[in-house]
Each structure stands twice: as C-alpha cells, then as structure tokens.
C-alpha cells in the first residue's frame, strides 16, 4: 500500500532494459482480475467443462486474429511471442487438468483454472534457472485471457497518453508489449519477471526502459502518480520531489546525449590507443535482437542463447524450424559471424517428452550439455540445423558447461555423425565450422590446457564460473555482495584460461556479464582476451573504453591486480588506475 499520500517512494528491482523515463504511472491491474469461485452441482459438471472448452477455443481464435493483424502491421519479427501463447493454448493439459478439478472439486471453470495456475506457479517458482522460472509469465498471460473470456470481457489494449505513460503491471505478456508499440508508452515496470522474459527482450529490442521484479508495485493507488523509471539501475521513484526530478531530468538528458554519442561512434573500430583490435560482439536470446547488436556497433554475435526456442511447447522444435530461426538471425548479422550455443536448459523439466521431475540441486543436475547428451536424437536435430546454417555464412558452434575432455569427445562424436548424415544427403555445410566450448565450470579451468587441444575457441561464461568457483548462487540476492568478479580466485581462473588458449593457438573470449562492464575492461584487455560478447546496450560503452586504453598500460594494470589478496583491494586499485589513466570510465 502507499504509505502516505504523495510521499516520495523508491523501489528497487531488476534492471531489465536500460534508459530513463519520466512520466506518469498507468497501473494495469491484471493480476487482481476478479474471479468468482463458486460450487457447481454434479449434474452441471459436463456443461461447466464445456464452458471452459468454449472459452479456450474462443481465446485461441482471438489470439490468432491478433497474430494475423500483427503479421500485417509489423511483419513477422515478433510473431514468435504470440506463437508461444498459441502453443500453450494448444497444450491440452491446461484444459484437462482444469476439467479434472471441476469434476473432482465441484467448482466452476474460473476456480479450476486459477487452481491449475497456482499449481504451475508453485512448480515454476521452485525452478532454479531464472530463464526457465520466468516462463510462467507466458502461462499466466494465457490463463488471464481465458478468464477474461469466461467473464465475458475483452482484453483491452493499454491506453496511454502520448510520450507520458509508464505502464505498471504484475506482469506483461509479449502480446501486451506488441500492442503497446506506437502507443506512446515510455517505460514499463513489472512485479514479476527478470531480464530474460519475453517482455524484457522485447523492451530491449524496442529500446523501452524497463524494470522487473518489484514487489507490490501494481497498486491502483499509484495510478496516474508522477514517477521516474531508471531501467539502467533498476529503480522506480514514485512521487519524486523537485530535487530528485531535476536530478533525473539531467541524468535523462545525459543518458540520451551519451547514447546518441555512443551510437554515433558505434561504427568506430574497437581499437586501442596502441593499435590493438579487440572483437566486440553481442549476446542475444532471440533473432529480433540481431539488428540491435549491429546498430550498437557489435560485429556479430558471440553468444546466441537458443533456449527460448525450446521452452513452453509440447514438442521439441524440429530441425526445419530451428534452421529457419537460426537463419533469420544469421541474415540479420551477416557478414559478421554468428556463434550459436547449443541448448543450455536448466534441467529437463520443461522440455517436451521428458518427465516433470524436480531435481534436488538443479544447478548441478542434468543441465546444459548433460541434458543434450541424454537425448542424442534431439540434440542432433539442433546440430544439423546449425551445420546447415553454416553453409550460408560465418557460423560458430559452442557447447555450454563442458566439464572435461571425455564429455567434449562425446559431443564431437555426435557432431561428426550429424555432419555425415548431412553429407550423405548432399546437404551443404561448412566442413571447417569452428567448434568452441564455454568455460564455466572450475574443472574446465583447471584442465584448460587439455581442452584447448580439442576446441577451436574458448568462451568464458563468467556468470556460471563465478557462481561455481565461489559457491555463490548467481541469482540469490542475499549473497549478492559475495558474488565477486574481482575475487583473486576468479582472476587467476581468467588468466589460466587465456594462457592455455594462447599456448594452444586458439582465441579466448568472454561472454558472461563481466565482459559488458567497462570497469573490468582494463583487466580483460590486459590479460589478453581476444573477444568480448555482451548485451547490445553495453557495446558502445565498452568500445569507448577500449578506444581510450592502451594495451600495454592495461597489461601492467592486469598484472598488478594479482598482487592483492582481496576483491575489495583489487577494486580500489582498479578505480584509482581508471581515474588516472582513463578518466570518465565509471561514475
Ligand atoms: C555465463 O554463464 O556466463 C553465460 C554466458 O551463460 P548463461 O548466463 O546463459 O548461463
Ligand atoms: Mg552459463
């Protein structure tokens, strides 16, 4: 609840899409959609089940109509998101589980649907992998549409005042955001979600500031309240006082000015003062982000997380569908290279054809490459699709969570089989495709010299490497201050990997979040990394830092960092060095 009328209030959440918006809140109160749960007589059960069936069919038709309209208006770029919702609707479990509740508990369709949703929420809430956990928002959006249909209501588009409105909701479906485009909305805030929801991806692709994961913010009492949204730091300030407003108006101007300057200089080469070139590429989760990477000065994709294509569906995507999606991204970034990471799902829970089992410790369970190796036929579909794309332009393949040489060899056997199958069918592919591995498990660091003999490149996933090296859950906010990229153990790991790669004559890249923070650039450049891959919005800032550094100076700084025993000491030293040698590196 709002504490006192018009009192300034600061909320903190997850920075989902950068930028600053100053406007008024429009609270979209979809979560508290009135649902009347009432009993049904035994002899009305079949008609109640029929009512549910009709509502689901009608909702599906509505979504199909929206899809057709969007296809006409905006082309096919974002239709994938609507397709996800259509696929959920086609999954008969939503209907059959709710029908069983109507029959077993003798309650109406609305109540049964809510109960089914609660069950899914509980299940998804227990998933450790943030990406998979956030997929619940798609199911919620679909259930909400069905409930509205049952209530005889229409899913209204959000009304916005041109250039003024910051939408606040418990959650926003991708369909909402697509309908929002061109409606004057300048930012969005959600209680649910994080950086990897469809909504967040679309917000970034549309350059709309967004903050997610703020509890209890979709309060109708905030409707029309003046507010500031800072998607870069993950803050929302409601009823800002004059001083705060002035400060943010300045910050907004500065951000827009910087962004313009960054975008203007985006095309400049990522070359240091002493003429050394560092490859800067983008991390993406969907093909629509490819163009964004290029416009921010990225030269290709260093990490395409393919997971999204596999989620929320009954069947695994066929080779043909994967080929189409990967090709779309490749065409968007061509002639630059596209690095496709094979499926990195956090456990087998959400994938079609696998049981919905909950692992005791999913971060160390059947995930990523282990899951792929456990379903070789499905995995080979992905390998063939990637290989086929490689015939059309520079493509690299990358395997996640490799822990040892044996595992890599098993993967290579499957890749070899996939190549033979294509060759037998006279389907073209790049026979010299670069095969890289992610280094994100401490065992892989320790044997980096052995792995380097059997891979064409390394890409360090610092997000997981830090988590596993320090035993700190990367998504646990209570341990956030112990999640230390500058921990001496992490720095030694980075050095060991880059040295092993270069010793074997292969490039060393980083695609974890650490690569996208200009503050770490002197160390990464100084250690000798060849390529950094990051979110599109970070590329111009990192590029600016590269262009301000000399590699020689960076190497001295990196070397000196190893003389400290704690992350705090390294940070202090780095701050001082940046202030002296590369001023304006970090505020
Ligand atoms: C990483 O672990 O750093 C990485 C890039 O992979 P993900 O964040 O997808 O686990
Ligand atoms: Mg990882």
């Amino acid at each position: 609840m709002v504490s006192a009328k018009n009192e300034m209030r600061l909320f903190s959440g997850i920075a989902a899409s950068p930028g600053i918006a100053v406007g008024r809140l429009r609270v979209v109160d979809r979560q508290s959609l009135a649902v009347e749960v009432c009993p049904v007589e035994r002899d009305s059960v079949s008609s109640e089940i029929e009512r549910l069936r009709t509502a689901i069919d009608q909702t599906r038709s509505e979504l199909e109509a929206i899809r057709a309209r969007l296809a006409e208006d905006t082309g096919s770029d974002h239709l994938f998101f609507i397709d996800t919702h259509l696929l959920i609707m086609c999954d008969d479990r939503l209907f059959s589980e709710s029908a069983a509740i109507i029959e077993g508990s003798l309650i109406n369709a609305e109540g049964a649907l809510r109960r089914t949703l609660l069950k899914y929420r509980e299940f998804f809430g227990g998933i450790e992998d943030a990406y998979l956990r956030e997929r619940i928002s798609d199911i919620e959006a679909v259930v909400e549409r069905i409930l509205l249909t049952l209530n005889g209501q229409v899913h209204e588009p959000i009304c916005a005042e041109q250039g003024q409105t910051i939408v606040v909701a418990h959650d926003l479906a991708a369909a909402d955001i697509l309908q929002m485009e061109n409606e004057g909305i300048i930012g969005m805030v959600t209680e649910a979600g994080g950086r990897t929801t469809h909504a967040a991806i679309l917000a970034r692709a549309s350059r709309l500031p967004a903050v997610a994961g703020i509890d209890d913010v979709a309060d109708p009492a905030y409707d029309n309240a003046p507010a500031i949204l800072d998607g870069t730091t993950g803050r929302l300030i409601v009823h800002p006082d004059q001083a705060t407003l002035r400060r943010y108006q300045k910050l907004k101007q500065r951000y827009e000015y910087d962004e313009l300057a960054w975008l203007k200089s985006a095309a400049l080469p990522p070359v240091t003062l002493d003429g050394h070139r560092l490859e800067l590429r983008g991390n993406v989760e969907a093909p629509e982000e490819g163009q964004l990477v290029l416009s921010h000065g990225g030269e290709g994709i260093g990490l395409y997380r393919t997971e999204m294509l596999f989620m929320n569906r009954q069947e695994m995507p066929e080779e043909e569908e994967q080929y189409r999606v990967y090709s779309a991204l490749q065409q968007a970034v061509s002639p630059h290279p596209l690095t496709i990471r094979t499926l990195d799902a956090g456990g087998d829970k959400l994938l079609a054809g696998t049981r919905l089992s909950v692992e005791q410790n999913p971060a160390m369970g059947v995930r990523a490459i282990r899951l792929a190796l456990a379903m070789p036929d499905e995995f080979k579909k992905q390998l063939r699709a990637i290989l086929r794309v490689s015939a059309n332009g520079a493509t690299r393949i990358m395997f996640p969570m490799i822990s040892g040489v044996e595992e890599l060899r098993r993967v290579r056997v499957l890749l070899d089989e996939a190549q033979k199958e294509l060759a037998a069918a006279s389907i073209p592919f790049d026979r010299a495709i670069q095969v890289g591995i992610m280094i994100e498990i401490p065992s892989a660091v320790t044997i980096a010299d052995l792995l380097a003999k059997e891979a064409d490149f390394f890409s360090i996933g610092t997000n997981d490497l830090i988590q596993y090296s320090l035993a700190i859950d990367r998504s646990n906010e209570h341990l956030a201050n112990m999640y230390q990229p500058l921990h001496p153990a992490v720095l030694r790991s980075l050095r060991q990997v880059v040295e092993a790669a270069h010793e074997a004559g292969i490039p060393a890249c980083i695609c974890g979040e650490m690569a996208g923070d200009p503050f770490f650039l002197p160390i990464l450049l100084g250690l000798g990394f060849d390529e950094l891959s990051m979110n599109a919005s970070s590329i111009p800032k990192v590029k600016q830092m590269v262009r301000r550094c000399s590699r020689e100076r960076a190497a001295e700084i990196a070397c000196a960092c190893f003389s400290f025993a704690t992350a705090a000491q390294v940070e202090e030293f780095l701050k001082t060095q940046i202030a002296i040698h590369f001023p304006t590196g970090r505020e």
Side-chain angles (χ1 to χ4, degrees):
M1 281 301 291
V2 185
S3 43
K5 202 165 165 33
N6 297 353
E7 189 181 300
M8 180 162 95
R9 183 141 183 221
L10 170 72
F11 295 90
S12 287
I14 298 161
S17 176
I20 294 173
V22 179
R24 284 188 178 269
L25 300 182
R26 164 89 176 84
V27 180
V28 182
D29 192 14
R30 297 211 161 136
Q31 170 78 346
S32 59
L33 176 75
V35 171
E36 209 181 322
V37 181
C38 47
V40 290
E41 300 291 334
R42 188 158 292 285
D43 53 8
S44 308
V45 162
S46 55
S47 62
E48 193 61 16
I49 291 178
E50 196 42 43
R51 195 166 79 86
L52 176 65
R53 167 57 76 204
T54 311
I56 290 181
D57 289 347
Q58 192 180 326
T59 311
R60 188 166 47 230
S61 307
E62 272 171 30
L63 268 180
E64 277 162 355
I66 293 177
R67 189 191 190 285
R69 213 172 46 245
L70 283 169
E72 240 171 58
D73 292 353
T74 62
S76 61
D77 269 12
H78 301 316
L79 296 181
F80 163 76
F81 296 101
I82 304 277
D83 288 340
T84 306
H85 290 188
L86 280 167
L87 276 161
I88 295 171
M89 304 216 56
C90 292
D91 184 337
D92 210 48
R93 268 176 296 192
L94 197 58
F95 169 73
S96 59
E97 289 178 21
S98 305
I101 294 172
I102 297 176
E103 195 164 16
S105 305
L106 295 178
I107 56 169
N108 62 349
E110 286 88 338
L113 207 50
R114 266 271 190 257
R115 247 195 235 177
T116 309
L117 178 62
L118 283 181
K119 199 181 99 188
Y120 283 140
R121 268 205 200 124
E122 199 176 317
F123 171 72
F124 277 75
I127 295 177
E128 197 246 2
D129 184 292
Y131 181 87
L132 298 183
R133 198 169 53 236
E134 287 164 8
R135 304 278 68 84
I136 184 65
S137 64
D138 292 306
I139 300 181
E140 283 174 342
V142 165
V143 167
E144 191 210 321
R145 270 185 190 273
I146 303 171
L147 286 171
L148 279 167
T149 312
L150 280 167
N151 270 7
Q153 288 171 261
V154 181
H155 197 275
E156 297 285 354
I158 297 161
C159 308
E161 205 176 312
Q162 197 66 33
Q164 272 285 315
T165 305
I166 299 169
V167 172
V168 184
H170 171 69
D171 202 359
L172 288 167
D176 285 323
I177 316 240
L178 291 174
Q179 284 176 302
M180 259 187 214
E181 274 188 6
N182 307 323
E183 284 181 15
I185 287 162
I186 55 169
M188 54 181 234
V189 183
T190 53
E191 293 178 339
R195 269 193 62 78
T196 50
T197 56
H198 293 168
I201 290 168
L202 276 180
R204 289 198 293 278
S206 319
R207 315 236 316 259
L208 199 64
V211 176
I214 300 185
D215 287 339
D216 302 324
V217 70
D219 186 329
Y222 289 130
D223 203 31
N224 210 32
I228 297 163
L229 174 70
D230 185 345
T232 312
T233 59
R235 290 203 185 119
L236 171 73
I237 302 162
V238 185
H239 292 299
D241 59 27
Q242 282 307 312
T244 309
L245 198 58
R246 271 197 302 276
R247 191 159 60 84
Y248 269 92
Q249 264 153 351
K250 273 201 194 127
L251 279 174
K252 180 171 173 334
Q253 265 177 3
R254 164 92 189 268
Y255 179 87
E256 285 165 0
Y257 175 83
D258 280 352
E259 219 201 3
L260 261 180
W262 288 325
L263 289 178
K264 259 199 216 146
S265 61
L268 294 173
V271 173
T272 60
L273 292 174
D274 47 356
H276 176 79
R277 187 182 167 88
L278 187 64
E279 300 297 342
L280 298 186
R281 304 212 156 97
N283 292 354
V284 298
E285 273 134 25
E288 40 274 272
E289 291 184 292
Q291 187 45 45
L292 201 68
V293 168
L294 297 192
S295 66
H296 281 72
E299 293 176 310
I301 306 297
L303 168 65
Y304 169 29
R305 295 178 163 106
T306 55
E307 291 79 76
M308 183 174 286
L309 192 56
F310 288 74
M311 302 302 153
N312 285 335
R313 50 194 305 163
Q314 261 182 313
E315 305 291 338
M316 294 281 219
E318 288 301 330
E319 180 183 323
E320 215 42 50
E321 181 185 347
Q322 295 190 49
Y323 173 69
R324 258 189 289 126
V325 175
Y326 305 156
S327 293
L329 181 54
Q330 188 187 56
Q331 275 164 24
V333 301
S334 177
H336 301 294
L338 163 64
T339 312
I340 306 181
R341 179 177 76 181
T342 60
L343 181 63
D344 183 10
D348 61 349
K349 306 166 209 60
L350 290 188
L351 300 181
T354 57
R355 258 173 28 82
L356 296 184
S357 64
V358 177
E359 295 180 299
Q360 287 294 324
N361 195 347
M364 298 191 186
V366 186
R367 59 168 299 195
I369 203 67
R370 301 168 191 171
L371 175 62
L373 288 170
M375 42 173 210
D377 291 340
E378 291 300 335
F379 187 38
K380 272 206 285 178
K381 285 183 195 165
Q382 184 172 40
L383 297 177
R384 279 194 303 266
I386 298 172
L387 284 168
R388 284 171 58 193
V389 170
S390 74
N392 309 330
T395 307
R396 306 190 296 185
I397 188 165
M398 184 159 81
F399 299 113
M401 306 276 296
I402 293 289
S403 64
V405 171
E406 262 177 340
E407 206 170 33
L408 177 55
R409 287 184 186 159
R410 285 179 62 203
V411 174
R412 277 203 173 267
V413 167
L414 291 178
L415 183 63
D416 202 41
E417 282 175 22
Q419 289 180 329
K420 286 195 176 114
E421 285 160 14
L422 291 179
S426 304
I427 299 174
F429 64 91
D430 175 7
R431 285 168 195 273
I433 188 169
Q434 297 279 294
V435 179
I437 60 173
M438 289 195 64
I439 303 286
E440 45 188 349
I441 299 182
S443 63
V445 173
T446 315
I447 58 158
D449 57 328
L450 303 178
L451 288 166
K453 292 185 186 132
E454 308 199 17
D456 297 320
F457 65 94
F458 281 164
S459 190
I460 303 186
T462 48
N463 308 341
D464 275 315
L465 184 59
I466 296 169
Q467 135 162 299
Y468 292 122
S469 300
L470 306 182
I472 298 292
D473 177 349
R474 63 193 253 187
S475 57
N476 186 335
E477 69 272 21
H478 304 298
L479 295 172
N481 62 340
M482 292 178 72
Y483 184 90
Q484 297 172 325
L486 294 178
H487 192 294
V490 175
L491 296 184
R492 286 178 193 212
S493 296
L494 298 182
R495 183 173 60 181
Q496 187 172 345
V497 173
V498 79
E499 283 177 0
H502 290 170
E503 183 73 21
I506 63 170
C509 322
I510 300 189
C511 62
E513 291 296 312
M514 208 173 163
D517 188 335
F519 183 62
F520 300 128
L521 192 270
I523 295 189
L524 305 183
L525 175 68
L527 281 174
F529 281 95
D530 305 283
E531 173 184 323
L532 303 179
S533 189
M534 62 205 78
N535 296 314
S537 60
S538 303
I539 297 172
K541 301 172 214 174
V542 172
K543 188 182 277 191
Q544 206 175 59
M545 193 65 163
V546 171
R547 293 178 57 80
R548 247 193 272 137
C549 275
S550 91
R551 190 175 181 211
E552 204 182 330
R553 172 78 65 200
E556 284 164 15
I557 294 174
C559 183
C561 285
F562 287 91
S563 59
F564 300 105
T566 72
Q569 288 169 325
V570 178
E571 182 168 351
E572 210 34 59
F573 171 72
L574 199 51
K575 263 189 198 152
T576 318
Q577 292 300 306
I578 287 178
I580 298 171
H581 300 294
F582 327 113
T584 76
R586 192 188 223 193
E587 257 96 75

